[in-house]
Structures are given as structure tokens and as C-alpha cells.
Amino acid sequence: MTTPTVMSGVFLTQHGGPEALEWRDDLPVPQPGPGQALVRVLAAGVNNTDINTRVGWYSSDVTGATDSVDQDVDAGGWGGALQFPRIQGGDLCGVVEQVGSGVAFQPGQRVTCPINLPRPRPGHPTGFVALGSELDGAFAQYCLVEADDLYDVSASPLSDVEIAAIPCAFGTAENLLARAGVTSGQKVLITGASGGVGLAAVQLAVLRGATVWGVSSPSKAEVVKLQGAADTFDRDAALPADMFDVVIDVVGGPAWPGLILALKPGGHYAVSGAIAGPIVKADLRDIYLRDITIHGCTHQAFEVFGRLVEMINGGRIMPLIAKTYPLKDIATAQADFQSKAFAGKLVLIP
């Protein structure tokens, strides 16, 4: 079958609200060069990072929660200023369509890739570029990817939609757990436990042999427990002091001091998000007198996603899917995501 020369997809034309998303039927299909693969997108997950990038939340000028951005920003992407227009979408499940020279993948193989694509450079060993931010992503019918960034998931028992729900949420969660050194027998507290990253972290921490507590709204507590959590705390409730070996946090905001105090002396706090707000109030004595280690987690080592692919192909992890949408309905899907009405992942189908 001949690959078309144009495709449908969504352009992000500027930072802003849903009006910044432009549906197009005349986007040129990229052509793979040496070492590259053209992937036909089968499904693409919806993530907070897509919305954060759209509204420009990553700018240091923004100090509020992720749903409260109402200002113009210039450098609102992960790596600073974006080049517009941009095709977003960091969660990819697709099929190899064409390959450039020197590529071992064959057309027809089902593939995925991490959202954080390592690009170390001198003086910056944790450098990366993000699919859908610095590079065009999966919110289109085709996506051009460096072949070295792809992983074969043809043998996985998971559906295309389920695989598309994994890269950002499970990659972020596995990275948090790895950086915090979560091991069997530990007690782990996970904030935002009913969201994509939170539910993934619950599953993955349980697989590591940890006992998990989640922080969530009461209406979603049962969903969190079904993923393996021993129990949950209401997000407005006071947390017990000196209880946890590790806190995994994607929420931040006003509740942050209580998360530090919930750690045992010598505990580890790992953060990869701040949906309730990036500016927190800290008593440094609660950190240094209790020997708390803080891990900021964005760069992912190669082995992090490699472990996930082994679990994907072995059917050992299973994302909870809340709803799917045609890609053309991306604005509705993102509005539903921001409503926090759904537990589990929302996925777009080109």
C-alpha cells in the first residue's frame, strides 16, 4: 500500500486555550531519512503534559496550578520556547510504515517509544528532547521517529489503546520509583493516585513488593485500591507522621509540607509534577534534620523504558482505560481530562 503524501492531524499554533489547537487535513507526511522510521499512529494517550505545554505552564513566569494559567508566556515548553506550529502527543502506539537506510525495523512491526528521548550532550548528561514538545508527536496519522528510540511491542497481549496509555504515565512512574529506590517491604505514599501517573505508580510499586497508600478523592478511592493500594487518604486529610519510606508526588501545592513530614527519617521524596502548584512552603529543618532525600525526576535512563517494554510484552502491566475519542475531538478529550471526572487514561484514535 502506498503511503499518502498528506495526513490529518492537530497543530498547536501558539500557547493558549483549546482555540490554539487547529485540525488540519493537509499536513505533509514526513519522509524518513537515514536512521529514521515513519510510524502510522494507531493510538495516542492524553496527558497533563500536553495541556501544560499548550497553555505554557512550564514557564517560570507561571506560579499557579496547572488549571489556572491565564497569562501570555514566551517559553512555555519543557525545554523553553517552542517552535510553532507543533504536532503534540507524547504517547505513541503505531505500526512502522517506512524506514530510512540503516534501520533494522521492518514495515508492519508494532512499536512504541518513551516521551523523553535521551539526547545527552557535553556538560548535560541528562539532556533529552520530548516527543510532542521539541519534536512533532503522535497527534496525527503519522509520526517520524529516530529508530533507536523505538521499541517493538508486536508480541504484547495489550491492545493498541492500552499500549498508547503507557509511555508517559508508566514511564514517569517507573522513573520516580527507580530514582527513589523503591524496594520490597517498603511503605510508599503516592499522591494523585487516581490519575494516569498515580495509578501506574501504584501498579509498579506493588510489583516491586512495596505496600502502597494513595492520596485521592473519596469517589476514586476504590479504583486506586483495585490497582493494588492497601488503602487511601482523602487529599484534604492530614497525613500520619513518620510513616513512609518513600513519597511519590505529582501534585505539590499547599499539601507539600505534610508529605515531607509523612516520611520516616532517612526517607526519599521523588517529584515529577505539581498539578496543585509548583511553589511550595518548606521548613528546611524538616528536611535536613531528618535526612530526607529529594529527587527531581524528568530525565529517564534507557533501562527505565526498557523494563517497561519487558512488562508490556509480558502482559505484566495493564493501564486502566477510561475513554477513547477520535483525534478530531482532542479539545473535548482534554476538557474531560481537566475535569478530573475520570479515573484512568483517555486515549485518542487518529
Side-chain angles (χ1 to χ4, degrees):
M1 185 173 65
T2 303
T3 303
T5 58
V6 295
M7 64 180 178
S8 299
V10 180
F11 261 164
L12 178 67
T13 59
Q14 61 184 2
H15 291 304
E19 73 282 351
L21 299 170
E22 180 182 338
W23 176 261
R24 297 282 296 271
D25 291 310
D26 60 350
L27 302 178
V29 175
Q31 297 300 305
Q36 295 180 322
L38 179 68
V39 177
R40 177 166 54 86
V41 180
L42 300 174
V46 176
N47 293 293
N48 218 76
T49 188
D50 305 315
I51 300 169
N52 290 349
T53 298
R54 169 167 61 77
V55 301
W57 182 81
Y58 293 112
S59 170
S60 59
D61 294 333
V62 179
T63 59
T66 58
D67 60 357
S68 64
V69 181
D70 60 357
Q71 63 193 89
D72 293 331
V73 297
D74 294 323
W78 285 39
L82 291 186
Q83 293 184 350
F84 297 111
R86 173 64 70 213
I87 298 172
Q88 291 187 280
D91 270 348
L92 169 67
C93 178
V95 171
V96 174
E97 180 87 359
Q98 294 179 356
V99 297
S101 61
V103 174
F105 283 96
Q106 299 295 320
Q109 285 181 270
R110 187 170 65 160
V111 293
T112 189
C113 69
I115 182 173
N116 293 4
L117 307 175
R119 297 291 188 271
R121 51 195 181 274
H124 196 349
T126 59
F128 70 93
V129 293
L131 189 69
S133 182
E134 285 71 50
L135 301 173
D136 281 341
F139 290 166
Q141 290 178 301
Y142 294 91
C143 181
L144 185 65
V145 186
E146 296 294 323
D148 286 346
D149 293 325
L150 290 174
Y151 292 79
D152 189 336
V153 288
S154 301
S156 174
L158 275 63
S159 70
D160 302 333
V161 167
E162 288 164 341
I163 291 174
I166 286 176
C168 184
F170 279 77
T172 300
E174 178 66 11
N175 194 43
L176 285 160
L177 297 170
R179 293 285 297 279
V182 172
T183 59
S184 180
Q186 289 187 323
K187 294 181 178 180
V188 177
L189 179 69
I190 298 171
T191 68
S194 63
V197 175
L199 287 173
V202 171
Q203 275 196 51
L204 292 168
V206 170
L207 283 174
R208 286 172 175 253
T211 304
V212 176
W213 283 257
V215 180
S216 73
S217 63
S219 64
K220 298 176 182 175
E222 198 58 37
V223 173
V224 177
K225 293 177 188 177
L226 288 172
Q227 298 300 303
D231 208 346
T232 62
F233 297 97
D234 188 331
R235 58 191 178 198
D236 296 321
L239 297 169
D242 299 330
M243 177 174 174
F244 299 100
D245 300 287
V246 174
V247 168
I248 301 297
D249 186 25
V250 295
V251 174
W256 192 85
L259 298 176
I260 297 299
L261 292 174
L263 284 165
K264 299 175 182 178
H268 290 254
Y269 166 89
V271 60
S272 231
I275 60 174
I279 309 302
V280 299
K281 183 178 180 180
D283 184 337
L284 291 177
R285 294 165 296 187
D286 292 334
I287 297 171
Y288 79 81
L289 290 176
R290 298 169 63 246
D291 289 293
I292 302 301
T293 301
I294 294 178
H295 305 268
C297 305
T298 296
H299 174 268
Q300 296 176 15
F302 284 105
E303 57 267 23
V304 170
F305 204 77
R307 284 194 299 272
L308 278 183
V309 170
E310 290 180 0
M311 289 186 268
I312 291 170
N313 284 333
R316 296 177 57 211
I317 53 176
M318 180 65 68
L320 178 65
I321 306 299
K323 193 174 180 180
T324 62
Y325 305 75
L327 177 59
K328 201 167 189 177
D329 294 342
I330 184 172
T332 300
Q334 290 190 345
D336 286 350
F337 182 96
Q338 290 181 289
S339 75
K340 307 301 180 187
F342 296 90
K345 290 285 291 184
L346 308 181
V347 180
L348 298 164
I349 310 296

